[in-house]
Amino acid sequence: MGMKIALVGYGKMGKAIERIALSRGHEIVLRISSQNRQLLFSETIKEADVVIEMTNPEAAFDNVKACLDAGVSVVCGSTGWNNEVPAAKQLAEEKGVAFLQTSNFSIGVNVFFSINEVLADIMNKYPEYEVSMEEVHHIHKKDKPSGTAITLAERIIAHLDRKKRWEESQPGAAEVLSIHPVREDEAPGTHSVKYSSAIDDIELIHTAHNRDGFAQGAVVAAEFIAGKKGVYTMRDVLGL
């Protein structure tokens, strides 16, 4: 049975989500952009079964909070607001609704996350390999490094004893995982993790061809949390 979805953020990504949601039998009951953002704070938002929030780091927490306060479950793909995510999770628990926030909805990227952890665990035994990362996105992306890159880095650090923190930099201190962000043209997103030694390189790369992977994953996540309570991740959605 189709859901009633509210879209908070109606740019290129929001329109891609709309197209895929409609193709899967769902109804878009509200499309919120900067021009009609006041609807977030009205009774209208309560018409939705689930909100899909995809805006920017500055607006994300206020948007999510307004929806959760209204008793509506939220899936959020905005990145760059990590410090406030725990408060949103706590609010969802208090309000008895569902909340899912991810740096990337793409099914392929979430498989990539899992492979990245397996490789880091293996490479923990081989200190002769230096690890570094690069991420490439379109010039309109506001946060740098990307949320996806930060997720990849955090999961590497959790499994690789020789790395203690990440930095947006060129390779420096031995305990630092370097992330090199690139902004060019309209690139949807490429993330690479590279282990280099004097003998060889091992490289993992995920390249998005368009926005459809993100949009499809967002709709699948909304389908998963509809009618549920609590905090979820894409691992829950995909069974990874």
Side-chain angles (χ1 to χ4, degrees):
M1 186 175 177
M3 295 181 297
K4 293 182 177 180
I5 297 173
L7 299 176
V8 178
Y10 196 56
K12 291 179 181 177
M13 182 62 73
K15 288 173 177 140
I17 292 170
E18 176 181 46
R19 173 169 47 81
I20 288 173
L22 292 174
S23 75
R24 294 171 72 94
H26 304 304
E27 179 185 356
I28 308 299
V29 295
L30 199 57
R31 300 164 182 83
I32 293 179
S33 66
S34 56
Q35 282 71 44
N36 64 345
R37 188 167 176 263
Q38 70 277 5
L39 291 176
L40 264 178
F41 307 95
S42 71
E43 292 295 306
T44 312
I45 196 68
K46 295 181 180 180
E47 296 177 15
D49 297 316
V50 179
V51 169
I52 298 177
E53 200 278 350
M54 198 85 69
T55 58
N56 58 66
E58 294 76 27
F61 180 61
D62 287 342
N63 292 344
V64 168
K65 184 176 183 299
C67 298
L68 296 175
D69 275 335
V72 183
S73 295
V74 179
V75 295
C76 174
S78 296
T79 57
W81 63 292
N82 289 5
N83 290 340
E84 295 164 308
V85 169
K89 290 179 177 179
Q90 182 177 345
L91 182 59
E93 297 280 9
E94 291 171 358
K95 294 293 181 179
V97 293
F99 176 62
L100 185 154
Q101 192 276 336
T102 182
S103 60
N104 200 307
F105 284 111
S106 164
I107 293 169
V109 165
N110 281 278
V111 172
F112 187 64
F113 284 156
S114 293
I115 296 170
N116 172 59
E117 287 191 76
V118 171
L119 181 57
D121 195 47
I122 294 169
M123 298 309 289
N124 196 40
K125 305 167 189 172
Y126 301 99
E128 64 269 29
Y129 284 85
E130 177 57 52
V131 61
S132 62
M133 293 176 52
E134 181 178 89
E135 57 100 347
V136 182
H137 278 90
H138 54 81
I139 57 175
H140 312 291
K141 187 167 181 60
K142 293 184 178 180
D143 53 322
K144 189 172 71 168
S146 70
T148 300
I150 292 171
T151 299
L152 287 164
E154 288 176 343
R155 294 188 183 183
I156 290 169
I157 291 165
H159 291 270
L160 207 62
D161 295 338
R162 57 189 179 272
K163 295 299 178 185
K164 306 301 181 187
R165 67 185 189 279
W166 63 265
E167 290 182 6
E168 179 193 337
S169 65
Q170 296 300 319
E175 73 273 12
V176 173
L177 170 55
S178 170
I179 305 176
H180 178 52
V182 177
R183 296 292 175 267
E184 62 181 30
D185 302 327
E186 295 298 323
T190 296
H191 293 85
S192 62
V193 178
K194 187 175 184 178
Y195 291 85
S196 298
S197 75
I199 296 172
D200 56 12
D201 293 342
I202 302 168
E203 195 164 5
L204 291 179
I205 301 174
H206 178 276
T207 302
H209 300 308
N210 52 52
R211 292 178 172 84
D212 282 6
F214 307 98
Q216 181 186 25
V219 176
V220 170
E223 292 169 349
F224 178 84
I225 72 165
K228 291 184 172 68
K229 298 178 181 180
V231 176
Y232 299 91
T233 69
M234 285 303 290
R235 284 187 167 183
D236 298 317
V237 175
L238 302 174
L240 294 174

